[in-house]
Amino acid sequence: GALRQGLSDNVRLWGALKADLLAPGNALPPELRASLASLATFVERQTAAVLAGEGKVGAIVDVNRSIVAGLAGQVPEPA
């Protein structure tokens, strides 16, 4: 359904981001690269858990919202 497709699209985006972060030519500071790559791994694992019926999608939504807010220069509000 729609949730499965959304999760698939989201994990594909995070996978592409992670590949770029781990590429030798990435110019971001190493600490930021490591933090974002760690988030990508979390999203991958959490997505697999949700698809297996063992996790909740809320954590993935929270990560995505935090990243969007950060890119927009906003401080996310506590949940």
Side-chain angles (χ1 to χ4, degrees):
L3 176 61
R4 184 171 291 276
Q5 183 61 49
L7 288 169
S8 175
D9 292 346
N10 189 61
V11 82
R12 211 174 12 225
L13 172 67
W14 277 99
L17 177 62
K18 184 176 177 181
D20 184 67
L21 291 164
L22 299 177
N26 188 297
L28 289 175
E31 300 82 17
L32 180 57
R33 290 172 61 188
S35 293
L36 290 171
S38 178
L39 277 177
T41 299
F42 170 80
V43 169
E44 291 167 345
R45 290 181 180 156
Q46 189 67 21
T47 299
V50 171
L51 291 173
E54 301 168 356
K56 298 192 185 257
V57 75
I60 299 168
V61 172
D62 290 344
V63 168
N64 287 346
R65 284 185 176 159
S66 293
I67 293 297
V68 168
L71 290 172
Q74 302 169 356
V75 177
E77 295 189 24

